Amino acid sequence: MKQIHSFGQSIWLDFIDRAIISSGNLKKLIDEDGIRGVTSNPAIFEKAITSSSDYDNDIRSLSDSDKTNEEIFFGLAIADIKNATDIFKGVFDESGGTDGFVSLEVSPFLALDTEGTAKQAAELWKAVDRKNVMIKIPGTKPGLEAIKQSIAKGININVTLLFGLPRYEEVTEAYISGLEEHLKAGYSIKHISSVASFFLSRIDVLVDPMLDEKGLGDLKGEIAIASAKKAYEIYKRVFSGPRWEKLAAQGAQPQRLLWASTSSKNPAFKDTKYVEALIGADTVDTVPLETIEAFRDHGIAANTLEDGLDKATEALDRLKKAGIDIDKITQQLEDEGIEKFNKPFEKLLQAIEDQKSKV
């Protein structure tokens, strides 16, 4: 895992719970595997809270107040995030503020609410009160303005749920515009950090069955990687040139691409497939524990991100010619992604309600 970092990519853990923090295992992952950050989401917290008794006492004590179940959840989550950011402070300092981040997501119920998202992002940022926290905002159409507003307030943002290239480019615009606004207001932009989380395996899960029907079976498991490689092309183009250089001169950091949904969903694929294919400079890869263990065991670290760009372009062209509309597919994935986070969040709030009733 540490070898990956030598190619300029940071590995972040896609998991958090109280046990990994209190046992010292999170610190061990930093020391032994070179893990440089943590991402969380509603599904991860739902699993953490419902599958252990670690949170029960806190839920009981918080339920004595007039807090809603959502407020109780954020109370629990913020405590975990603060503890994790403290563990990663050394990484944050050593990297000059480019790594060592821990991400906390706004309520998935706000995914299509610009105002609500921007308001909650500011509240969570203030509540965690750590330089190395990132607030996660979904890259939905309404999320774009919330991302811009949050960056303009100097908040670190992890843009999540990105599947399509046109939307990714809109996200880079929101980031750059936000930096320009913050600078215009007379503030330094050196401390602002952001990543754009591009989801991978779910693209292939949806596209692969269509490929056989169109006689494109050879492209199975390749479309997500091709899209990611094209996203990196956009990244290199956007974060260069006069407009960006003006901000870079003021200390702005580029918004790195982050590869998410990196565990293989198809048992026919190698379990480290998505990690191995997209190792490259100035990127982040967030991986679950089992993928870290798999990579530690049999992963191959090599600078692969810019290999086969022609092949990636050709794969997406063949898709288009066959009448498969990738933009329509990525919009469907975004809609489903919102639902996939809403469901565990509802389950989580119900689990808190159930725990309260045991008091």
Side-chain angles (χ1 to χ4, degrees):
M1 294 305 290
K2 276 184 171 171
Q3 268 186 297
I4 290 177
H5 190 240
S6 68
F7 297 110
Q9 184 174 81
S10 299
I11 298 292
W12 292 2
L13 173 66
D14 193 24
F15 176 76
I16 193 170
D17 68 5
R18 291 204 167 162
I20 199 170
I21 294 168
S22 60
S23 64
N25 283 339
L26 189 57
K27 180 75 172 74
K28 198 175 166 190
L29 283 166
I30 296 170
D31 297 340
E32 293 182 9
D33 292 290
I35 300 301
R36 300 180 68 77
V38 164
T39 52
S40 69
N41 61 43
I44 287 170
F45 270 115
E46 184 268 325
K47 199 175 170 190
I49 291 169
T50 58
S51 64
S52 82
S53 57
D54 294 351
Y55 298 85
D56 294 359
N57 289 338
D58 281 2
I59 291 171
R60 281 195 283 272
S61 62
L62 287 165
S63 66
D64 293 340
S65 64
D66 57 357
K67 290 183 188 303
T68 64
N69 290 340
E70 190 168 307
E71 285 167 340
I72 290 172
F73 158 68
F74 277 113
L76 303 171
I78 286 163
D80 284 4
I81 298 293
K82 280 183 171 182
N83 288 332
T85 54
D86 292 347
I87 291 169
F88 275 95
K89 191 174 184 305
V91 176
F92 179 75
D93 292 341
E94 167 264 314
S95 68
T98 58
D99 257 329
F101 290 96
V102 181
S103 296
L104 173 62
E105 189 154 348
V106 296
S107 164
F109 298 157
L110 298 172
L112 301 173
D113 177 352
T114 300
E115 206 177 304
T117 296
K119 184 173 177 282
Q120 192 174 75
E123 287 165 358
L124 294 175
W125 172 254
K126 196 178 170 189
V128 177
D129 193 25
R130 298 287 192 278
K131 287 177 182 173
N132 59 326
V133 69
M134 274 190 180
I135 307 302
K136 279 177 105 170
I137 294 178
T140 57
K141 203 77 179 159
L144 292 170
E145 181 58 28
I147 293 158
K148 181 183 161 183
Q149 287 177 23
S150 301
I151 295 291
K153 287 178 194 159
I155 299 171
N156 299 327
I157 298 295
N158 175 340
V159 183
T160 186
L161 276 188
L162 292 175
F163 297 95
L165 298 174
R167 180 58 52 77
Y168 165 58
E169 188 144 6
E170 288 176 316
V171 163
T172 64
E173 175 57 38
Y175 175 62
I176 290 170
S177 299
L179 287 178
E180 287 168 341
E181 278 189 28
H182 197 64
L183 192 62
K184 201 175 165 187
Y187 299 106
S188 167
I189 53 174
K190 285 178 186 172
H191 67 282
I192 301 173
S193 197
S194 181
V195 292
S197 298
F198 202 87
F199 282 53
L200 300 168
S201 60
R202 289 189 203 171
I203 295 175
D204 287 335
V205 168
L206 198 57
V207 173
D208 282 359
M210 301 176 189
L211 297 174
D212 280 336
E213 293 165 24
K214 303 282 186 180
L216 299 173
D218 61 310
L219 292 180
K220 269 185 168 177
E222 296 303 321
I223 299 306
I225 289 166
S227 297
K229 287 179 187 278
K230 296 305 283 183
Y232 192 62
E233 272 191 344
I234 294 169
Y235 164 83
K236 290 188 85 169
R237 170 171 52 78
V238 170
F239 294 102
S240 63
R243 186 183 178 195
W244 176 250
E245 280 160 18
K246 208 171 164 184
L247 292 168
Q250 298 296 321
Q253 300 179 38
Q255 180 188 53
R256 286 181 296 174
L257 268 162
L258 177 150
W259 312 125
S261 183
T262 53
S263 56
S264 297
K265 307 287 190 285
N266 185 336
F269 299 156
K270 189 178 177 183
D271 53 4
T272 52
K273 171 188 172 75
Y274 294 102
V275 179
E276 289 178 8
L278 297 167
I279 299 170
D282 306 316
T283 54
V284 180
D285 197 342
T286 184
V287 288
L289 272 170
E290 55 271 25
T291 308
I292 288 174
E293 282 157 14
F295 198 92
R296 198 191 285 144
D297 180 63
H298 52 259
I300 299 160
N303 196 351
T304 53
L305 182 52
E306 293 187 274
D307 289 353
L309 276 173
D310 293 350
K311 202 176 146 199
T313 308
E314 186 198 336
L316 295 178
D317 284 347
R318 285 175 65 196
L319 208 63
K320 198 176 177 182
K321 279 176 189 152
I324 299 172
D325 187 342
I326 191 73
D327 294 341
K328 201 174 165 187
I329 287 164
T330 53
Q331 186 56 55
Q332 182 187 331
L333 284 164
E334 183 189 297
D335 298 340
E336 287 173 2
I338 295 165
E339 188 55 28
K340 277 194 169 98
F341 282 158
N342 275 344
K343 280 206 172 115
F345 200 59
E346 283 162 10
K347 198 175 156 192
L348 169 64
L349 298 179
Q350 186 56 51
I352 289 171
E353 184 60 38
D354 296 345
Q355 191 58 41
K356 276 163 64 176
S357 63
K358 290 179 192 170
V359 176

